Every structure is written in C-alpha cells, then in structure tokens.
PDB file of all heavy atoms in Angstrom:
ATOM      1  N   VAL V  26     172.671   6.376 -52.775  1.00 82.00           N
ATOM      2  CA  VAL V  26     171.895   7.047 -51.731  1.00 82.00           C
ATOM      3  C   VAL V  26     170.729   6.158 -51.328  1.00 82.00           C
ATOM      4  O   VAL V  26     169.958   5.713 -52.165  1.00 82.00           O
ATOM      5  CB  VAL V  26     171.366   8.413 -52.229  1.00 82.00           C
ATOM      6  CG1 VAL V  26     170.456   9.051 -51.197  1.00 82.00           C
ATOM      7  CG2 VAL V  26     172.519   9.336 -52.568  1.00 82.00           C
ATOM      8  N   SER V  27     170.622   5.899 -50.029  1.00 80.00           N
ATOM      9  CA  SER V  27     169.505   5.101 -49.521  1.00 80.00           C
ATOM     10  C   SER V  27     168.457   6.036 -48.941  1.00 80.00           C
ATOM     11  O   SER V  27     168.721   6.778 -48.014  1.00 80.00           O
ATOM     12  CB  SER V  27     169.991   4.133 -48.447  1.00 80.00           C
ATOM     13  OG  SER V  27     168.875   3.498 -47.859  1.00 80.00           O
ATOM     14  N   ILE V  28     167.282   5.974 -49.493  1.00 82.00           N
ATOM     15  CA  ILE V  28     166.186   6.810 -49.007  1.00 82.00           C
ATOM     16  C   ILE V  28     165.029   5.926 -48.538  1.00 82.00           C
ATOM     17  O   ILE V  28     163.931   6.373 -48.288  1.00 82.00           O
ATOM     18  CB  ILE V  28     165.761   7.816 -50.104  1.00 82.00           C
ATOM     19  CG1 ILE V  28     164.931   8.930 -49.510  1.00 82.00           C
ATOM     20  CG2 ILE V  28     165.072   7.120 -51.252  1.00 82.00           C
ATOM     21  CD1 ILE V  28     164.826  10.160 -50.367  1.00 82.00           C
ATOM     22  N   LYS V  29     165.285   4.643 -48.384  1.00 81.00           N
ATOM     23  CA  LYS V  29     164.254   3.663 -48.053  1.00 81.00           C
ATOM     24  C   LYS V  29     164.119   3.367 -46.561  1.00 81.00           C
ATOM     25  O   LYS V  29     163.263   2.597 -46.167  1.00 81.00           O
ATOM     26  CB  LYS V  29     164.540   2.344 -48.782  1.00 81.00           C
ATOM     27  CG  LYS V  29     164.663   2.475 -50.264  1.00 81.00           C
ATOM     28  CD  LYS V  29     163.354   2.285 -50.919  1.00 81.00           C
ATOM     29  CE  LYS V  29     163.531   2.291 -52.427  1.00 81.00           C
ATOM     30  NZ  LYS V  29     162.324   2.590 -53.101  1.00 81.00           N
ATOM     31  N   SER V  30     164.932   3.959 -45.719  1.00 81.00           N
ATOM     32  CA  SER V  30     164.946   3.558 -44.315  1.00 81.00           C
ATOM     33  C   SER V  30     163.990   4.358 -43.416  1.00 81.00           C
ATOM     34  O   SER V  30     164.061   4.252 -42.206  1.00 81.00           O
ATOM     35  CB  SER V  30     166.370   3.644 -43.765  1.00 81.00           C
ATOM     36  OG  SER V  30     166.833   4.966 -43.853  1.00 81.00           O
ATOM     37  N   TYR V  31     163.102   5.119 -44.010  1.00 83.00           N
ATOM     38  CA  TYR V  31     162.089   5.814 -43.227  1.00 83.00           C
ATOM     39  C   TYR V  31     160.935   4.868 -42.929  1.00 83.00           C
ATOM     40  O   TYR V  31     160.731   3.884 -43.640  1.00 83.00           O
ATOM     41  CB  TYR V  31     161.569   7.035 -43.996  1.00 83.00           C
ATOM     42  CG  TYR V  31     162.624   8.082 -44.216  1.00 83.00           C
ATOM     43  CD1 TYR V  31     163.349   8.130 -45.392  1.00 83.00           C
ATOM     44  CD2 TYR V  31     162.915   9.004 -43.234  1.00 83.00           C
ATOM     45  CE1 TYR V  31     164.327   9.082 -45.595  1.00 83.00           C
ATOM     46  CE2 TYR V  31     163.899   9.960 -43.412  1.00 83.00           C
ATOM     47  CZ  TYR V  31     164.599   9.991 -44.589  1.00 83.00           C
ATOM     48  OH  TYR V  31     165.572  10.926 -44.779  1.00 83.00           O
ATOM     49  N   MET V  32     160.154   5.168 -41.880  1.00 81.00           N
ATOM     50  CA  MET V  32     159.005   4.310 -41.565  1.00 81.00           C
ATOM     51  C   MET V  32     158.053   4.242 -42.749  1.00 81.00           C
ATOM     52  O   MET V  32     157.493   3.205 -43.047  1.00 81.00           O
ATOM     53  CB  MET V  32     158.269   4.821 -40.326  1.00 81.00           C
ATOM     54  CG  MET V  32     158.962   4.455 -39.041  1.00 81.00           C
ATOM     55  SD  MET V  32     157.927   4.716 -37.598  1.00 81.00           S
ATOM     56  CE  MET V  32     157.906   6.501 -37.521  1.00 81.00           C
ATOM     57  N   GLU V  33     157.853   5.354 -43.397  1.00 88.00           N
ATOM     58  CA  GLU V  33     157.067   5.410 -44.628  1.00 88.00           C
ATOM     59  C   GLU V  33     157.954   6.056 -45.686  1.00 88.00           C
ATOM     60  O   GLU V  33     157.988   7.275 -45.830  1.00 88.00           O
ATOM     61  CB  GLU V  33     155.798   6.226 -44.422  1.00 88.00           C
ATOM     62  CG  GLU V  33     154.881   6.189 -45.607  1.00 88.00           C
ATOM     63  CD  GLU V  33     153.559   6.867 -45.317  1.00 88.00           C
ATOM     64  OE1 GLU V  33     152.956   6.601 -44.267  1.00 88.00           O
ATOM     65  OE2 GLU V  33     153.151   7.688 -46.149  1.00 88.00           O
ATOM     66  N   PRO V  34     158.733   5.250 -46.389  1.00 91.00           N
ATOM     67  CA  PRO V  34     159.729   5.814 -47.310  1.00 91.00           C
ATOM     68  C   PRO V  34     159.094   6.562 -48.485  1.00 91.00           C
ATOM     69  O   PRO V  34     158.013   6.200 -48.937  1.00 91.00           O
ATOM     70  CB  PRO V  34     160.504   4.601 -47.815  1.00 91.00           C
ATOM     71  CG  PRO V  34     159.928   3.416 -47.185  1.00 91.00           C
ATOM     72  CD  PRO V  34     158.762   3.807 -46.361  1.00 91.00           C
ATOM     73  N   PRO V  35     159.780   7.591 -48.954  1.00 93.00           N
ATOM     74  CA  PRO V  35     159.326   8.256 -50.182  1.00 93.00           C
ATOM     75  C   PRO V  35     159.358   7.259 -51.341  1.00 93.00           C
ATOM     76  O   PRO V  35     160.104   6.272 -51.302  1.00 93.00           O
ATOM     77  CB  PRO V  35     160.359   9.357 -50.402  1.00 93.00           C
ATOM     78  CG  PRO V  35     161.115   9.471 -49.139  1.00 93.00           C
ATOM     79  CD  PRO V  35     160.990   8.181 -48.425  1.00 93.00           C
ATOM     80  N   LYS V  36     158.554   7.524 -52.355  1.00 95.00           N
ATOM     81  CA  LYS V  36     158.448   6.610 -53.492  1.00 95.00           C
ATOM     82  C   LYS V  36     159.036   7.242 -54.754  1.00 95.00           C
ATOM     83  O   LYS V  36     158.832   8.434 -55.018  1.00 95.00           O
ATOM     84  CB  LYS V  36     156.986   6.248 -53.721  1.00 95.00           C
ATOM     85  CG  LYS V  36     156.391   5.493 -52.558  1.00 95.00           C
ATOM     86  CD  LYS V  36     154.926   5.192 -52.780  1.00 95.00           C
ATOM     87  CE  LYS V  36     154.418   4.405 -51.592  1.00 95.00           C
ATOM     88  NZ  LYS V  36     153.236   4.972 -51.004  1.00 95.00           N
ATOM     89  N   GLU V  37     159.712   6.388 -55.506  1.00 94.00           N
ATOM     90  CA  GLU V  37     160.312   6.833 -56.762  1.00 94.00           C
ATOM     91  C   GLU V  37     159.233   7.333 -57.714  1.00 94.00           C
ATOM     92  O   GLU V  37     158.156   6.747 -57.816  1.00 94.00           O
ATOM     93  CB  GLU V  37     161.077   5.668 -57.409  1.00 94.00           C
ATOM     94  CG  GLU V  37     161.789   6.037 -58.680  1.00 94.00           C
ATOM     95  CD  GLU V  37     162.578   4.889 -59.276  1.00 94.00           C
ATOM     96  OE1 GLU V  37     162.758   3.862 -58.612  1.00 94.00           O
ATOM     97  OE2 GLU V  37     163.013   5.043 -60.428  1.00 94.00           O
ATOM     98  N   ASN V  38     159.508   8.414 -58.403  1.00 95.00           N
ATOM     99  CA  ASN V  38     158.621   9.060 -59.364  1.00 95.00           C
ATOM    100  C   ASN V  38     157.354   9.644 -58.740  1.00 95.00           C
ATOM    101  O   ASN V  38     156.461  10.090 -59.453  1.00 95.00           O
ATOM    102  CB  ASN V  38     158.261   8.131 -60.523  1.00 95.00           C
ATOM    103  CG  ASN V  38     159.471   7.784 -61.346  1.00 95.00           C
ATOM    104  OD1 ASN V  38     160.325   8.624 -61.578  1.00 95.00           O
ATOM    105  ND2 ASN V  38     159.570   6.539 -61.759  1.00 95.00           N
ATOM    106  N   ILE V  39     157.267   9.618 -57.430  1.00 96.00           N
ATOM    107  CA  ILE V  39     156.189  10.292 -56.712  1.00 96.00           C
ATOM    108  C   ILE V  39     156.795  11.370 -55.822  1.00 96.00           C
ATOM    109  O   ILE V  39     156.295  12.485 -55.753  1.00 96.00           O
ATOM    110  CB  ILE V  39     155.353   9.295 -55.891  1.00 96.00           C
ATOM    111  CG1 ILE V  39     154.631   8.348 -56.843  1.00 96.00           C
ATOM    112  CG2 ILE V  39     154.362  10.022 -54.988  1.00 96.00           C
ATOM    113  CD1 ILE V  39     153.883   7.227 -56.168  1.00 96.00           C
ATOM    114  N   HIS V  40     157.919  11.011 -55.153  1.00 95.00           N
ATOM    115  CA  HIS V  40     158.600  11.946 -54.255  1.00 95.00           C
ATOM    116  C   HIS V  40     160.034  12.258 -54.691  1.00 95.00           C
ATOM    117  O   HIS V  40     160.618  13.210 -54.203  1.00 95.00           O
ATOM    118  CB  HIS V  40     158.655  11.377 -52.832  1.00 95.00           C
ATOM    119  CG  HIS V  40     157.316  11.037 -52.284  1.00 95.00           C
ATOM    120  ND1 HIS V  40     156.905   9.739 -52.123  1.00 95.00           N
ATOM    121  CD2 HIS V  40     156.300  11.822 -51.858  1.00 95.00           C
ATOM    122  CE1 HIS V  40     155.682   9.734 -51.606  1.00 95.00           C
ATOM    123  NE2 HIS V  40     155.291  10.984 -51.442  1.00 95.00           N
ATOM    124  N   TYR V  41     160.607  11.444 -55.522  1.00 94.00           N
ATOM    125  CA  TYR V  41     161.985  11.665 -55.961  1.00 94.00           C
ATOM    126  C   TYR V  41     162.204  11.030 -57.323  1.00 94.00           C
ATOM    127  O   TYR V  41     161.396  10.226 -57.792  1.00 94.00           O
ATOM    128  CB  TYR V  41     163.001  11.130 -54.949  1.00 94.00           C
ATOM    129  CG  TYR V  41     162.994   9.634 -54.768  1.00 94.00           C
ATOM    130  CD1 TYR V  41     163.825   8.813 -55.518  1.00 94.00           C
ATOM    131  CD2 TYR V  41     162.166   9.034 -53.834  1.00 94.00           C
ATOM    132  CE1 TYR V  41     163.832   7.438 -55.351  1.00 94.00           C
ATOM    133  CE2 TYR V  41     162.156   7.667 -53.652  1.00 94.00           C
ATOM    134  CZ  TYR V  41     162.992   6.871 -54.412  1.00 94.00           C
ATOM    135  OH  TYR V  41     162.982   5.504 -54.243  1.00 94.00           O
ATOM    136  N   ILE V  42     163.320  11.400 -57.941  1.00 94.00           N
ATOM    137  CA  ILE V  42     163.708  10.881 -59.250  1.00 94.00           C
ATOM    138  C   ILE V  42     165.030  10.147 -59.083  1.00 94.00           C
ATOM    139  O   ILE V  42     165.900  10.604 -58.353  1.00 94.00           O
ATOM    140  CB  ILE V  42     163.882  12.035 -60.250  1.00 94.00           C
ATOM    141  CG1 ILE V  42     162.552  12.759 -60.438  1.00 94.00           C
ATOM    142  CG2 ILE V  42     164.428  11.552 -61.581  1.00 94.00           C
ATOM    143  CD1 ILE V  42     162.694  14.099 -61.092  1.00 94.00           C
ATOM    144  N   VAL V  43     165.168   9.030 -59.756  1.00 93.00           N
ATOM    145  CA  VAL V  43     166.420   8.273 -59.717  1.00 93.00           C
ATOM    146  C   VAL V  43     167.212   8.564 -60.990  1.00 93.00           C
ATOM    147  O   VAL V  43     166.668   8.562 -62.088  1.00 93.00           O
ATOM    148  CB  VAL V  43     166.152   6.752 -59.612  1.00 93.00           C
ATOM    149  CG1 VAL V  43     167.431   5.954 -59.786  1.00 93.00           C
ATOM    150  CG2 VAL V  43     165.502   6.423 -58.290  1.00 93.00           C
ATOM    151  N   CYS V  44     168.485   8.814 -60.797  1.00 92.00           N
ATOM    152  CA  CYS V  44     169.409   9.009 -61.918  1.00 92.00           C
ATOM    153  C   CYS V  44     170.613   8.107 -61.677  1.00 92.00           C
ATOM    154  O   CYS V  44     171.295   8.255 -60.671  1.00 92.00           O
ATOM    155  CB  CYS V  44     169.825  10.468 -62.011  1.00 92.00           C
ATOM    156  SG  CYS V  44     170.941  10.784 -63.376  1.00 92.00           S
ATOM    157  N   LYS V  45     170.860   7.186 -62.590  1.00 87.00           N
ATOM    158  CA  LYS V  45     171.950   6.229 -62.402  1.00 87.00           C
ATOM    159  C   LYS V  45     173.326   6.830 -62.646  1.00 87.00           C
ATOM    160  O   LYS V  45     174.300   6.395 -62.075  1.00 87.00           O
ATOM    161  CB  LYS V  45     171.729   5.014 -63.297  1.00 87.00           C
ATOM    162  CG  LYS V  45     170.493   4.268 -62.865  1.00 87.00           C
ATOM    163  CD  LYS V  45     170.301   2.993 -63.624  1.00 87.00           C
ATOM    164  CE  LYS V  45     169.153   2.307 -62.968  1.00 87.00           C
ATOM    165  NZ  LYS V  45     168.216   1.674 -63.654  1.00 87.00           N
ATOM    166  N   ASN V  46     173.390   7.832 -63.516  1.00 84.00           N
ATOM    167  CA  ASN V  46     174.670   8.502 -63.761  1.00 84.00           C
ATOM    168  C   ASN V  46     174.421   9.898 -64.319  1.00 84.00           C
ATOM    169  O   ASN V  46     173.352  10.167 -64.865  1.00 84.00           O
ATOM    170  CB  ASN V  46     175.567   7.666 -64.688  1.00 84.00           C
ATOM    171  CG  ASN V  46     174.956   7.474 -66.040  1.00 84.00           C
ATOM    172  OD1 ASN V  46     174.639   8.434 -66.728  1.00 84.00           O
ATOM    173  ND2 ASN V  46     174.779   6.223 -66.449  1.00 84.00           N
ATOM    174  N   PRO V  47     175.381  10.774 -64.183  1.00 82.00           N
ATOM    175  CA  PRO V  47     175.200  12.165 -64.636  1.00 82.00           C
ATOM    176  C   PRO V  47     174.925  12.305 -66.132  1.00 82.00           C
ATOM    177  O   PRO V  47     174.285  13.261 -66.564  1.00 82.00           O
ATOM    178  CB  PRO V  47     176.517  12.843 -64.270  1.00 82.00           C
ATOM    179  CG  PRO V  47     177.148  11.967 -63.255  1.00 82.00           C
ATOM    180  CD  PRO V  47     176.654  10.573 -63.515  1.00 82.00           C
ATOM    181  N   ASP V  48     175.375  11.338 -66.904  1.00 84.00           N
ATOM    182  CA  ASP V  48     175.193  11.430 -68.346  1.00 84.00           C
ATOM    183  C   ASP V  48     173.731  11.413 -68.765  1.00 84.00           C
ATOM    184  O   ASP V  48     173.360  12.025 -69.757  1.00 84.00           O
ATOM    185  CB  ASP V  48     175.944  10.300 -69.062  1.00 84.00           C
ATOM    186  CG  ASP V  48     177.442  10.391 -68.868  1.00 84.00           C
ATOM    187  OD1 ASP V  48     177.947  11.522 -68.680  1.00 84.00           O
ATOM    188  OD2 ASP V  48     178.104   9.347 -68.881  1.00 84.00           O
ATOM    189  N   ASN V  49     172.895  10.698 -68.021  1.00 87.00           N
ATOM    190  CA  ASN V  49     171.497  10.633 -68.428  1.00 87.00           C
ATOM    191  C   ASN V  49     170.592  11.610 -67.674  1.00 87.00           C
ATOM    192  O   ASN V  49     169.392  11.631 -67.892  1.00 87.00           O
ATOM    193  CB  ASN V  49     170.965   9.206 -68.345  1.00 87.00           C
ATOM    194  CG  ASN V  49     170.799   8.709 -66.939  1.00 87.00           C
ATOM    195  OD1 ASN V  49     171.279   9.303 -65.983  1.00 87.00           O
ATOM    196  ND2 ASN V  49     170.110   7.598 -66.800  1.00 87.00           N
ATOM    197  N   LEU V  50     171.159  12.430 -66.805  1.00 91.00           N
ATOM    198  CA  LEU V  50     170.356  13.373 -66.033  1.00 91.00           C
ATOM    199  C   LEU V  50     169.616  14.369 -66.929  1.00 91.00           C
ATOM    200  O   LEU V  50     168.416  14.594 -66.753  1.00 91.00           O
ATOM    201  CB  LEU V  50     171.222  14.123 -65.020  1.00 91.00           C
ATOM    202  CG  LEU V  50     170.475  15.130 -64.158  1.00 91.00           C
ATOM    203  CD1 LEU V  50     169.377  14.448 -63.341  1.00 91.00           C
ATOM    204  CD2 LEU V  50     171.458  15.853 -63.240  1.00 91.00           C
ATOM    205  N   LYS V  51     170.296  14.937 -67.888  1.00 89.00           N
ATOM    206  CA  LYS V  51     169.658  15.920 -68.778  1.00 89.00           C
ATOM    207  C   LYS V  51     168.476  15.293 -69.509  1.00 89.00           C
ATOM    208  O   LYS V  51     167.413  15.911 -69.623  1.00 89.00           O
ATOM    209  CB  LYS V  51     170.675  16.473 -69.773  1.00 89.00           C
ATOM    210  CG  LYS V  51     170.146  17.595 -70.603  1.00 89.00           C
ATOM    211  CD  LYS V  51     171.234  18.204 -71.459  1.00 89.00           C
ATOM    212  CE  LYS V  51     170.680  19.364 -72.257  1.00 89.00           C
ATOM    213  NZ  LYS V  51     171.691  20.015 -73.075  1.00 89.00           N
ATOM    214  N   ASN V  52     168.633  14.073 -69.971  1.00 91.00           N
ATOM    215  CA  ASN V  52     167.561  13.372 -70.664  1.00 91.00           C
ATOM    216  C   ASN V  52     166.369  13.132 -69.732  1.00 91.00           C
ATOM    217  O   ASN V  52     165.220  13.353 -70.115  1.00 91.00           O
ATOM    218  CB  ASN V  52     168.078  12.044 -71.225  1.00 91.00           C
ATOM    219  CG  ASN V  52     167.038  11.331 -72.042  1.00 91.00           C
ATOM    220  OD1 ASN V  52     166.318  11.949 -72.826  1.00 91.00           O
ATOM    221  ND2 ASN V  52     166.942  10.029 -71.860  1.00 91.00           N
ATOM    222  N   ILE V  53     166.642  12.707 -68.514  1.00 92.00           N
ATOM    223  CA  ILE V  53     165.577  12.466 -67.541  1.00 92.00           C
ATOM    224  C   ILE V  53     164.809  13.755 -67.264  1.00 92.00           C
ATOM    225  O   ILE V  53     163.576  13.784 -67.299  1.00 92.00           O
ATOM    226  CB  ILE V  53     166.150  11.883 -66.229  1.00 92.00           C
ATOM    227  CG1 ILE V  53     166.645  10.453 -66.444  1.00 92.00           C
ATOM    228  CG2 ILE V  53     165.111  11.910 -65.109  1.00 92.00           C
ATOM    229  CD1 ILE V  53     167.441   9.895 -65.285  1.00 92.00           C
ATOM    230  N   LEU V  54     165.536  14.811 -66.993  1.00 92.00           N
ATOM    231  CA  LEU V  54     164.901  16.077 -66.640  1.00 92.00           C
ATOM    232  C   LEU V  54     164.114  16.679 -67.803  1.00 92.00           C
ATOM    233  O   LEU V  54     163.050  17.267 -67.592  1.00 92.00           O
ATOM    234  CB  LEU V  54     165.946  17.071 -66.135  1.00 92.00           C
ATOM    235  CG  LEU V  54     166.681  16.656 -64.860  1.00 92.00           C
ATOM    236  CD1 LEU V  54     167.699  17.712 -64.474  1.00 92.00           C
ATOM    237  CD2 LEU V  54     165.713  16.383 -63.720  1.00 92.00           C
ATOM    238  N   SER V  55     164.614  16.524 -69.002  1.00 92.00           N
ATOM    239  CA  SER V  55     163.920  17.111 -70.158  1.00 92.00           C
ATOM    240  C   SER V  55     162.621  16.370 -70.485  1.00 92.00           C
ATOM    241  O   SER V  55     161.776  16.906 -71.195  1.00 92.00           O
ATOM    242  CB  SER V  55     164.830  17.141 -71.378  1.00 92.00           C
ATOM    243  OG  SER V  55     165.127  15.835 -71.805  1.00 92.00           O
ATOM    244  N   ASN V  56     162.443  15.170 -69.967  1.00 93.00           N
ATOM    245  CA  ASN V  56     161.236  14.390 -70.238  1.00 93.00           C
ATOM    246  C   ASN V  56     160.182  14.495 -69.137  1.00 93.00           C
ATOM    247  O   ASN V  56     159.220  13.728 -69.127  1.00 93.00           O
ATOM    248  CB  ASN V  56     161.600  12.923 -70.469  1.00 93.00           C
ATOM    249  CG  ASN V  56     162.268  12.732 -71.804  1.00 93.00           C
ATOM    250  OD1 ASN V  56     161.800  13.236 -72.821  1.00 93.00           O
ATOM    251  ND2 ASN V  56     163.383  12.024 -71.809  1.00 93.00           N
ATOM    252  N   ILE V  57     160.348  15.437 -68.228  1.00 95.00           N
ATOM    253  CA  ILE V  57     159.366  15.640 -67.165  1.00 95.00           C
ATOM    254  C   ILE V  57     158.624  16.945 -67.461  1.00 95.00           C
ATOM    255  O   ILE V  57     159.238  18.005 -67.558  1.00 95.00           O
ATOM    256  CB  ILE V  57     160.044  15.694 -65.783  1.00 95.00           C
ATOM    257  CG1 ILE V  57     160.735  14.359 -65.494  1.00 95.00           C
ATOM    258  CG2 ILE V  57     159.015  16.003 -64.699  1.00 95.00           C
ATOM    259  CD1 ILE V  57     161.521  14.339 -64.202  1.00 95.00           C
ATOM    260  N   SER V  58     157.319  16.843 -67.577  1.00 96.00           N
ATOM    261  CA  SER V  58     156.504  18.018 -67.896  1.00 96.00           C
ATOM    262  C   SER V  58     156.413  18.960 -66.697  1.00 96.00           C
ATOM    263  O   SER V  58     156.657  18.565 -65.556  1.00 96.00           O
ATOM    264  CB  SER V  58     155.098  17.585 -68.310  1.00 96.00           C
ATOM    265  OG  SER V  58     154.407  17.049 -67.187  1.00 96.00           O
ATOM    266  N   GLN V  59     156.011  20.181 -66.957  1.00 96.00           N
ATOM    267  CA  GLN V  59     155.814  21.173 -65.899  1.00 96.00           C
ATOM    268  C   GLN V  59     154.768  20.666 -64.896  1.00 96.00           C
ATOM    269  O   GLN V  59     154.940  20.801 -63.692  1.00 96.00           O
ATOM    270  CB  GLN V  59     155.373  22.515 -66.503  1.00 96.00           C
ATOM    271  CG  GLN V  59     155.143  23.608 -65.481  1.00 96.00           C
ATOM    272  CD  GLN V  59     156.422  24.097 -64.820  1.00 96.00           C
ATOM    273  OE1 GLN V  59     157.493  24.030 -65.410  1.00 96.00           O
ATOM    274  NE2 GLN V  59     156.309  24.580 -63.614  1.00 96.00           N
ATOM    275  N   ASP V  60     153.695  20.073 -65.398  1.00 97.00           N
ATOM    276  CA  ASP V  60     152.643  19.543 -64.538  1.00 97.00           C
ATOM    277  C   ASP V  60     153.189  18.444 -63.617  1.00 97.00           C
ATOM    278  O   ASP V  60     152.898  18.415 -62.425  1.00 97.00           O
ATOM    279  CB  ASP V  60     151.493  18.990 -65.394  1.00 97.00           C
ATOM    280  CG  ASP V  60     150.335  18.498 -64.561  1.00 97.00           C
ATOM    281  OD1 ASP V  60     149.838  19.259 -63.703  1.00 97.00           O
ATOM    282  OD2 ASP V  60     149.922  17.330 -64.758  1.00 97.00           O
ATOM    283  N   LYS V  61     154.007  17.555 -64.174  1.00 97.00           N
ATOM    284  CA  LYS V  61     154.610  16.481 -63.374  1.00 97.00           C
ATOM    285  C   LYS V  61     155.537  17.059 -62.307  1.00 97.00           C
ATOM    286  O   LYS V  61     155.538  16.612 -61.160  1.00 97.00           O
ATOM    287  CB  LYS V  61     155.365  15.510 -64.286  1.00 97.00           C
ATOM    288  CG  LYS V  61     156.090  14.385 -63.576  1.00 97.00           C
ATOM    289  CD  LYS V  61     155.136  13.375 -62.966  1.00 97.00           C
ATOM    290  CE  LYS V  61     155.926  12.210 -62.395  1.00 97.00           C
ATOM    291  NZ  LYS V  61     155.083  11.260 -61.701  1.00 97.00           N
ATOM    292  N   TRP V  62     156.345  18.090 -62.670  1.00 95.00           N
ATOM    293  CA  TRP V  62     157.228  18.732 -61.685  1.00 95.00           C
ATOM    294  C   TRP V  62     156.415  19.298 -60.532  1.00 95.00           C
ATOM    295  O   TRP V  62     156.781  19.155 -59.371  1.00 95.00           O
ATOM    296  CB  TRP V  62     158.040  19.864 -62.319  1.00 95.00           C
ATOM    297  CG  TRP V  62     159.324  19.424 -62.915  1.00 95.00           C
ATOM    298  CD1 TRP V  62     159.667  19.516 -64.226  1.00 95.00           C
ATOM    299  CD2 TRP V  62     160.439  18.822 -62.251  1.00 95.00           C
ATOM    300  NE1 TRP V  62     160.933  18.993 -64.408  1.00 95.00           N
ATOM    301  CE2 TRP V  62     161.432  18.566 -63.215  1.00 95.00           C
ATOM    302  CE3 TRP V  62     160.690  18.460 -60.936  1.00 95.00           C
ATOM    303  CZ2 TRP V  62     162.644  17.984 -62.907  1.00 95.00           C
ATOM    304  CZ3 TRP V  62     161.912  17.882 -60.625  1.00 95.00           C
ATOM    305  CH2 TRP V  62     162.867  17.649 -61.605  1.00 95.00           C
TER     306      TRP V  62
END
C-alpha cells in the first residue's frame, strides 16, 4: 500500500502503523499503549 503520494503524506507511527505480514500484527498491536492509540 502506497500512502506517500499526498502533498503532505501521513507519517508512520504518527498517522499509521506498518505491518509487514499478518503474523506480526498481534505483536505490534499489543505493544501500543492506550495513550499512544
């Protein structure tokens, strides 16, 4: 998924989360605090 083609693109870990494969999604999500969400 390309999300970089906007004039001011969203930034990783500020506006979106990157997941390279479904296997690590649960791990990524479990390591994000409520405050960060």
Side-chain angles (χ1 to χ4, degrees):
V26 175
S27 173
I28 196 162
K29 304 269 185 201
S30 61
Y31 295 95
M32 282 193 288
E33 186 173 313
K36 296 178 178 128
E37 183 178 349
N38 295 321
I39 294 174
H40 304 108
Y41 65 92
I42 297 165
V43 171
C44 181
K45 295 186 173 140
N46 62 57
D48 296 332
N49 70 347
L50 180 60
K51 187 174 182 178
N52 184 42
I53 290 170
L54 297 179
S55 66
N56 287 313
I57 298 176
S58 69
Q59 180 69 28
D60 183 53
K61 177 70 174 175
W62 272 118

